[in-house]
């Protein structure tokens, strides 16, 4: 089957908003008007909590699916879920990676709120074109112009109104369309499906003329011909004006602002028109960069069906009907179900089995997918978020998403056997969905350990375990994941000898242990010549060495950055065994760690604080008091961006401190950067606590 829509008729976009601005309601209305959802659900009705998963089940539609396809004016819209918890780089990154544009929903009575500020700045960082929808115009206190001001004041955006409200608060009836210079007035039917196009009401004529001029002046800036025509008194016609606004959005020259009330069903259809008219298609966004998997040379893949096939897995989810599904964005070429592809990130072959297109309330099996498509694949063997899947003959690795190792951990203990079972199932699902979340078992205590990227990250996982999976458990305090490393080269000669009645045990090993480059990991090499340690005993040596790595001699943390060589040894014809060599190697390495001047390493986080200028001094002072090193300070829009390296151990509870320090207006993101030696005084404290 050929592609149903030309690639220029695709809009892959996300809807971003502060909590409660109306993202869910707006999405639902979009799905209703595009004809895919048959009833309009009311969010939060009959439910005191904001448990979106439960709500979603009640409503039986997939609005929190990672992507939903719908159609408007013969265009194909893929709405990509932009996660609410923007504290996690990975969550934001993976959706910003695959969307081409965004709609930013504001609460008309609140304007830009803290979370909007955060997502807006993230979108700035990733250069995402966007339009603004000021929602809740029916609400008491709603004010379009105040919202517009807040876009300037709080995020240094460049808002330009494309509409003006007709009526206010409870009397909000529709909008003046400043592009067509017409009024759109909704009929008061419950569904808002119908609106009438009329002349602009007389009482709004002056205001409309004023804002029309602002719009036209901002638009003609983008084109010399349009500008000179305008200076000669000729306004651009409607088609030209739309074209110029489209250019403005793509170049981030300004941010068009629309308004309405999703809840009262007004203003959503023009929003859909704006998505089609102004947000970019994959073609507008151009080629994606990657590296050739064979030569490692940088290459590009153009958004075209004629290019070699490539796609990026951006979300793995558990689907109640299909099981585990992998959401992928196709960047180039096409793929058919049944074809063989390769996961170039992991060098693993895969077969495309079932491919699905997710709609609001149904899923459609498809046989082919083309450049620009967002598809859900069922039954892939070994794909993780961020992997590239592609043509095995032309393997490419698309720009990677980085997933740093977890640096913080908590122990979790289920209260009953039933909880234990639920916990196991829930954790395997959570770990598959989020590559920055890991689960392990503590060998000594048998406890389940959850590892993640920060306090908040783990808090939310625990919350999901409790609320969604109903696991009742005790949770320990968060701990820093320290590591240990030796600081000098040492040689140890160790002989294990035991004579108990019959056959004895004998093994002698001589090892060299030395520190390596940070991040090089652990390596072992046997330098044995002439069979002084027979080959069959070498695995025993390796096993013995590895058994020590999990818990170092300082405070029992994993040992890293270590290279061990076996340089000599001896055996006994009768008494030697793999086990004897294992015991000898273990003791030898323990001794080496003792003698090697082991030091404690701690995770250092790269912290980015975005704060209104007024709080810069206190934010920096506070970071310094946390053993932080300020790396730099910059302006982004009208906010100050402070970059610092801070030990994770001193970042617990930071979210609250920052909130109270800035009246909730500063935000931060934190990401693991590297491990660094713990200063002596601090190390002594840590050792006293853990050893
Ligand atoms: N008055 C009014 N209320 C609205 C409007 N849109 C949404 N709401 C209400 O605002 C509340 C939040 O709406 P949601 O659509 O759930 O907002 P959200 O941004 O998805 O919120 P979270 O899912 O909690 O992040 C609900 O009670 C809605 O009914 C609107 O246009 N006018």
């Amino acid at each position: 089957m050929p592609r149903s829509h030309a690639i220029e008729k695709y809009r892959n976009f996300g809807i971003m908003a502060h909590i409660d601005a109306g993202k869910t309601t707006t999405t639902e209305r979009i799905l209703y008007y595009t004809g895919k959802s048959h009833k309009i659900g009311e969010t939060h009705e009959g439910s005191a909590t904001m448990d979106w998963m439960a709500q979603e089940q009640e409503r039986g539609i997939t609005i929190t699916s990672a992507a939903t396809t719908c159609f408007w004016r013969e265009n194909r819209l893929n709405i990509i879920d932009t996660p609410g918890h923007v504290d996690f780089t990975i969550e934001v990154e993976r959706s910003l990676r695959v969307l081409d544009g965004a709609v930013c929903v504001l609460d008309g009575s609140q304007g830009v709120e803290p979370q909007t500020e955060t997502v807006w700045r993230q979108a700035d960082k990733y250069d995402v074109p966007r339009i603004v929808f000021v929602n809740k115009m029916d609400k008491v206190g709603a004010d379009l112009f105040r919202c517009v001001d807040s876009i300037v004041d709080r995020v240094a955006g460049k808002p330009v109104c494309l509409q003006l409200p007709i009526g206010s608060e409870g009397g909000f009836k529709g909008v003046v369309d400043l592009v067509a210079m017409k009024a759109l007035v909704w009929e008061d039917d419950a569904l808002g499906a119908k609106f009438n196009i009329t002349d602009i009401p007389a009482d709004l004529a002056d205001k409309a003329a004023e804002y029309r001029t602002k719009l036209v002046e901002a638009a003609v800036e983008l084109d010399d011909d349009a500008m000179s025509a305008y200076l000669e008194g000729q306004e651009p016609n409607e088609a030209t004006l739309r074209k110029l606004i489209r250019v403005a959005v793509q170049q981030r020259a300004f941010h068009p602002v629309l308004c309405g009330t999703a809840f009262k069903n007004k203003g959503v259809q023009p929003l859909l028109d704006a998505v089609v008219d102004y947000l970019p298609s994959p073609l507008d966004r151009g080629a994606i960069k990657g590296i050739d998997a064979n030569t490692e040379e940088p290459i590009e893949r153009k958004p075209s069906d004629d290019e070699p096939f490539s796609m990026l897995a951006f979300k793995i989810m558990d689907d109640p009907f299909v099981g585990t599904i992998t959401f992928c964005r196709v960047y180039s070429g096409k793929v058919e179900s049944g074809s063989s592809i390769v996961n170039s990130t992991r060098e693993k072959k895969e077969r495309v089995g079932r491919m699905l297109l997710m709609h609001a309330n149904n899923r459609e099996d498809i046989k082919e997918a083309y450049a620009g498509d967002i598809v859900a694949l069922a039954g892939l063997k070994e794909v993780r978020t961020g992997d590239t899947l592609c043509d095995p003959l032309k393997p490419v690795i698309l720009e990677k998403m980085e997933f740093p190792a977890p640096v913080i951990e908590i122990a979790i203990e289920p209260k009953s056997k039933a909880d234990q079972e639920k916990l196991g199932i829930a954790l395997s699902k959570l770990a598959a969905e989020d590559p920055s979340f890991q689960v392990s078992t503590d060998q000594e205590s048998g406890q389940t350990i959850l590892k993640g990227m920060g306090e908040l990250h783990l808090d939310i996982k625990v919350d999901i375990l409790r609320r969604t999976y109903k696991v009742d458990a005790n949770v320990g305090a968060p701990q820093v994941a320290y590591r240990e490393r030796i600081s000098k080269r040492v040689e140890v000669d160790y002989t294990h000898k035991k004579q108990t009645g019959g056959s004895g045990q004998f093994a002698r090993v001589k090892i060299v242990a030395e520190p390596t480059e940070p991040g090089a990991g652990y390596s072992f090499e046997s330098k044995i010549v002439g069979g002084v340690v027979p080959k069959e005993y070498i695995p025993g040596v390796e096993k013995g060495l590895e058994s020590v790595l999990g818990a170092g001699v300082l405070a029992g943390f994993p040992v890293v950055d270590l290279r061990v060589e076996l340089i000599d040894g001896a055996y006994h014809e009768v008494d030697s065994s793999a086990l004897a060599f294992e015991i000898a190697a273990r003791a030898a390495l323990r001794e080496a760690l003792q003698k090697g001047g082991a030091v404690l390493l701690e995770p250092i986080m790269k912290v980015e604080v975005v704060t209104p200028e007024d709080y810069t001094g206190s934010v920096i002072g506070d970071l310094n008091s946390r053993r932080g090193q300020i790396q730099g300070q910059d302006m982004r829009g009208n906010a100050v961006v402070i970059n610092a390296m801070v030990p994770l151990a001193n970042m617990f509870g930071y979210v609250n401190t920052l909130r109270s320090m800035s009246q909730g207006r500063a935000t931060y993101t934190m990401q693991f950067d590297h491990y660094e030696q713990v200063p002596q005084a601090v190390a002594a404290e840590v050792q006293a606590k853990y050893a």
Side-chain angles (χ1 to χ4, degrees):
M1 218 173 66
R3 62 156 62 235
S4 63
H5 292 74
I7 193 162
E8 51 271 29
K9 291 199 170 286
Y10 277 57
R11 298 291 177 273
N12 292 327
F13 71 103
I15 298 182
M16 53 195 224
H18 182 83
I19 294 160
D20 263 8
K23 183 176 120 178
T24 309
T25 314
T26 308
T27 312
E28 278 201 340
R29 294 321 190 252
I30 289 178
L31 297 177
Y32 176 74
Y33 294 123
T34 55
K36 289 293 175 183
S37 164
H38 298 298
K39 70 174 204 297
I40 289 188
E42 295 310 340
T43 72
H44 300 186
E45 197 173 69
S47 131
T49 66
M50 293 197 296
D51 185 345
W52 52 266
M53 288 202 196
Q55 285 187 21
E56 180 180 314
Q57 281 157 11
E58 280 155 25
R59 280 182 262 141
I61 62 168
T62 331
I63 52 173
T64 55
S65 156
T68 306
T69 300
C70 57
F71 302 92
W72 187 251
R73 281 177 28 201
E74 282 154 28
N75 284 262
R76 185 180 181 124
L77 314 187
N78 292 315
I79 307 176
I80 294 154
D81 185 42
T82 50
H85 299 298
V86 290
D87 304 80
F88 312 121
T89 336
I90 163 177
E91 283 288 323
V92 186
E93 192 148 321
R94 67 179 170 199
S95 61
L96 289 178
R97 260 302 295 278
V98 297
L99 52 76
D100 298 320
V103 173
C104 178
V105 177
L106 302 184
D107 178 328
S109 66
Q110 304 294 323
V112 171
E113 295 175 81
Q115 189 101 53
T116 332
E117 221 170 307
T118 314
V119 273
W120 187 282
R121 293 190 198 289
Q122 289 275 2
D124 275 347
K125 198 154 135 187
Y126 291 90
D127 234 1
V128 176
R130 77 211 81 137
I131 54 182
V132 179
F133 180 64
V134 177
N135 185 35
K136 303 201 184 181
M137 288 304 293
D138 61 311
K139 214 174 139 186
V140 175
D143 183 337
L144 176 71
F145 304 107
R146 259 217 332 264
C147 289
V148 166
D149 289 344
S150 76
I151 298 173
V152 179
D153 297 342
R154 297 209 150 185
V155 289
K158 288 169 245 159
V160 170
C161 292
L162 299 195
Q163 298 175 338
L164 296 180
I166 302 177
S168 64
E169 301 181 350
F172 177 81
K173 288 204 287 281
V175 297
V176 172
D177 174 345
L178 297 169
V179 178
M181 286 307 266
K182 287 284 177 200
L184 315 182
V185 179
W186 271 261
E187 286 187 4
D188 256 336
D189 71 73
L191 300 178
K194 279 203 205 138
F195 56 90
N196 299 309
I197 302 177
T198 63
D199 288 336
I200 296 172
D203 61 334
L204 280 173
D206 289 348
K207 199 143 207 169
E210 179 194 338
Y211 277 85
R212 161 84 180 185
T213 305
K214 290 188 186 187
L215 166 62
V216 171
E217 287 184 349
V220 294
E221 285 278 345
L222 292 148
D223 183 278
D224 289 347
D225 292 344
M227 176 62 109
S228 40
Y230 180 68
L231 291 176
E232 282 160 23
Q234 198 187 337
E235 282 216 355
N237 63 24
E238 198 180 317
T240 309
L241 190 52
R242 283 191 204 285
K243 224 185 304 168
L244 293 175
I245 298 170
R246 182 174 182 82
V247 173
V249 172
Q250 325 249 322
Q251 298 181 354
R252 262 78 74 219
F254 62 77
H255 304 106
V257 179
L258 296 95
C259 64
T261 156
F263 182 61
K264 297 280 172 63
N265 311 305
K266 297 182 175 79
V268 178
Q269 298 94 331
L271 174 63
L272 283 163
D273 285 338
V275 165
V276 168
D277 289 338
Y278 309 130
L279 288 183
S281 76
L283 214 53
D284 296 315
R285 291 293 269 174
I288 180 160
K289 292 189 173 58
I291 55 165
D292 185 312
N294 293 325
T295 64
E296 301 197 351
E297 293 292 317
I299 47 170
E300 281 187 349
R301 288 278 183 261
K302 295 194 190 73
S304 155
D305 296 346
D306 302 328
E307 286 271 294
F309 160 69
S310 72
M311 68 182 177
L312 188 84
F314 67 95
K315 178 124 187 162
I316 294 167
M317 267 175 106
D318 193 51
D319 182 90
F321 304 103
V322 189
T324 302
I325 48 176
T326 309
F327 281 87
C328 297
R329 163 154 183 176
V330 183
Y331 278 94
S332 60
K334 54 184 182 229
V335 62
E336 285 170 24
S337 71
S339 53
S340 297
I341 55 172
V342 65
N343 177 341
S344 50
T345 311
R346 287 173 205 283
E347 296 182 23
K348 289 265 180 322
K349 286 183 188 153
E350 290 277 354
R351 209 180 137 268
V352 180
R354 200 166 166 200
M355 275 199 292
L356 298 161
L357 201 58
M358 307 299 262
H359 296 293
N361 52 359
N362 69 320
R363 50 209 69 222
E364 179 193 345
D365 275 277
I366 52 169
K367 295 277 171 249
E368 287 111 20
Y370 300 90
D373 276 341
I374 307 253
V375 286
L377 284 86
L380 291 179
K381 281 186 296 197
E382 207 189 318
V383 179
R384 295 263 149 179
T385 301
D387 288 0
T388 302
L389 296 157
C390 59
D391 181 343
L393 300 176
K394 298 267 174 66
V396 58
I397 302 174
L398 300 176
E399 269 179 311
K400 275 202 194 126
M401 303 185 197
E402 298 288 336
F403 306 124
V407 289
I408 183 168
E409 49 189 59
I410 48 171
I412 181 162
E413 242 173 295
K415 287 197 177 150
S416 70
K417 191 133 192 3
D419 288 315
Q420 174 86 51
E421 276 163 26
K422 281 190 277 184
L423 180 71
I425 295 167
L427 286 179
S428 64
K429 286 185 178 169
L430 290 180
E433 287 170 9
D434 180 352
S436 58
F437 175 68
Q438 291 177 6
V439 181
S440 64
T441 307
D442 185 307
Q443 298 298 351
E444 276 169 36
S445 65
Q447 274 178 328
T448 301
I449 309 290
L450 312 186
K451 298 182 184 179
M453 300 316 306
E455 220 178 344
L456 198 56
H457 188 199
L458 292 184
D459 268 0
I460 284 166
K461 298 294 177 205
V462 169
D463 196 54
I464 295 175
L465 288 175
R466 289 202 168 120
R467 286 217 267 174
T468 309
Y469 293 98
K470 310 273 182 275
V471 175
D472 200 4
N474 291 321
V475 176
Q479 313 277 6
V480 173
Y482 292 100
R483 306 215 167 144
E484 297 182 17
R485 157 182 217 268
I486 56 170
S487 53
K488 60 174 192 256
R489 183 181 191 278
V490 277
E491 238 180 65
V492 172
D493 195 338
Y494 188 91
T495 303
H496 171 66
K497 203 164 160 187
K498 215 167 168 192
Q499 201 65 52
T500 43
S503 66
Q505 288 184 12
F506 180 87
R508 180 187 148 232
V509 293
K510 189 170 180 188
I511 60 166
V512 171
E514 59 186 351
T516 57
E517 285 296 297
Y522 161 74
S523 63
F524 167 76
E525 196 179 343
S526 166
K527 290 265 169 90
I528 294 299
V529 282
V532 290
V533 177
K535 265 206 197 82
E536 64 264 36
Y537 298 146
I538 304 288
V541 172
E542 286 189 68
K543 202 167 159 199
L545 294 173
E546 279 164 25
S547 71
V548 179
L549 299 174
V553 296
L554 268 187
F557 291 105
V559 179
V560 295
D561 305 335
L562 180 71
R563 197 174 127 84
V564 181
E565 282 177 5
L566 177 65
I567 53 167
D568 200 4
Y571 71 106
H572 184 275
E573 283 297 343
V574 181
D575 292 346
S576 283
S577 65
L579 181 66
F581 273 95
E582 186 182 327
I583 295 170
R586 185 182 308 148
L589 185 56
R590 282 236 174 87
E591 194 180 319
L593 296 180
Q594 298 280 8
K595 288 185 179 160
V599 292
L600 205 58
L601 304 177
E602 64 179 342
I604 304 294
M605 310 300 282
K606 188 170 166 184
V607 179
E608 182 187 274
V609 183
V610 180
T611 174
E613 221 166 346
D614 309 355
Y615 311 111
T616 314
S618 20
V619 169
I620 290 180
D622 175 71
L623 287 173
N624 282 329
S625 75
R626 293 171 188 268
R627 289 200 281 135
Q629 308 243 338
I630 307 293
Q631 308 280 302
Q633 183 179 327
D634 228 335
M635 295 299 287
R636 189 181 297 154
N638 61 343
V640 181
V641 182
I642 300 161
N643 283 297
M645 293 289 181
V646 194
L648 172 64
N650 294 40
M651 287 300 285
F652 291 139
Y654 186 62
V655 70
N656 297 325
T657 312
L658 187 66
R659 202 176 283 153
S660 59
M661 208 159 39
S662 67
Q663 292 170 5
R665 291 188 55 203
T667 55
Y668 80 106
T669 51
M670 176 162 95
Q671 207 174 334
F672 166 71
D673 195 77
H674 65 282
Y675 270 89
E676 206 171 277
Q677 187 173 341
V678 179
Q680 208 64 50
V682 182
E685 272 173 40
V686 176
Q687 252 177 295
K689 189 168 158 202
Y690 291 95

